[in-house]
Amino acid sequence: MEIRVSLVLLAVLVVTGSALSASGPSALVDPVSVEAQQLSQLEDAASAARGDLALTQRLAATYLRLGHPGLAITAVRAAPPEVGRDPVLTHRLAQAYEASGRVEDALGTAELALARCKCVTAEELSCEHAARCSASTIAALEMHQDALMMLMRWGVSDPRHDTRTALAYR
């Protein structure tokens, strides 16, 4: 009887172990898809030209679109400081924080993006940035900041799973 119980337990352990080892690592996207190839090319290009603002913006936006805000945060934060000060890229960082469920960080970063945008628009002497923000960019940044402020007021801790998020953007 004791041997049977031991054999049954051994069989359960073997089956469990083989089931766990059969599952391999999962990729962000299907590695043979066109989207994966385009992402790979974009990552390579952004890595080769770290100071390229447009590539960094595209890479962060692509990661956000694919639902990987952590990678978007990493891409923005890995950019050189002169690139990272861009108001639109700072806005992407705020979006990534929000998509990660970090509402307070998102609000602070959205406020920073808007301040940088208004600074370059006002052409203040204290501003050292050369970028220009269009009226539509400023409006988008203000809307994002307002929505994040509502989420904070309402105590939303995870905007990804709270129905009030859509209401805040309306």
Side-chain angles (χ1 to χ4, degrees):
M1 179 74 170
E2 210 173 290
I3 293 176
R4 285 185 188 167
V5 171
S6 296
L7 287 175
V8 169
L9 286 175
L10 179 62
V12 168
L13 288 173
V14 168
V15 169
T16 304
S18 64
L20 290 175
S21 65
S23 61
S26 62
L28 295 176
V29 291
D30 179 12
V32 295
S33 71
V34 173
E35 186 176 62
Q37 292 170 1
Q38 290 172 343
L39 176 60
S40 176
Q41 291 170 352
L42 182 57
E43 288 172 330
D44 290 344
S47 177
R50 277 197 43 210
D52 189 319
L53 174 61
L55 281 173
T56 306
Q57 286 177 342
R58 281 184 44 215
L59 182 60
T62 300
Y63 283 142
L64 284 171
R65 184 175 49 78
L66 293 174
H68 301 288
L71 291 174
I73 292 168
T74 301
V76 173
R77 296 189 73 192
E82 64 275 6
V83 172
R85 283 190 290 265
D86 177 71
V88 175
L89 192 58
T90 304
H91 174 63
R92 288 280 177 262
L93 183 59
Q95 290 174 317
Y97 283 141
E98 180 185 4
S100 298
R102 297 168 57 182
V103 179
E104 193 170 344
D105 291 333
L107 178 57
T109 307
E111 289 170 348
L112 178 61
L114 188 57
R116 286 177 174 168
C117 206
K118 287 185 174 180
C119 179
V120 298
T121 304
E123 297 183 33
E124 296 176 14
L125 294 176
S126 63
C127 298
E128 57 191 70
H129 314 296
R132 296 285 178 255
C133 293
S134 66
S136 63
T137 299
I138 292 172
L141 296 179
E142 287 175 341
M143 184 195 79
H144 190 218
Q145 180 186 12
D146 290 346
L148 289 169
M149 282 196 287
M150 282 185 186
L151 294 176
M152 286 292 293
R153 251 182 295 176
W154 294 339
V156 173
S157 59
D158 190 355
R160 299 167 297 178
H161 300 98
D162 197 309
T163 57
R164 294 175 290 180
T165 301
L167 182 60
Y169 279 95
R170 271 191 233 124

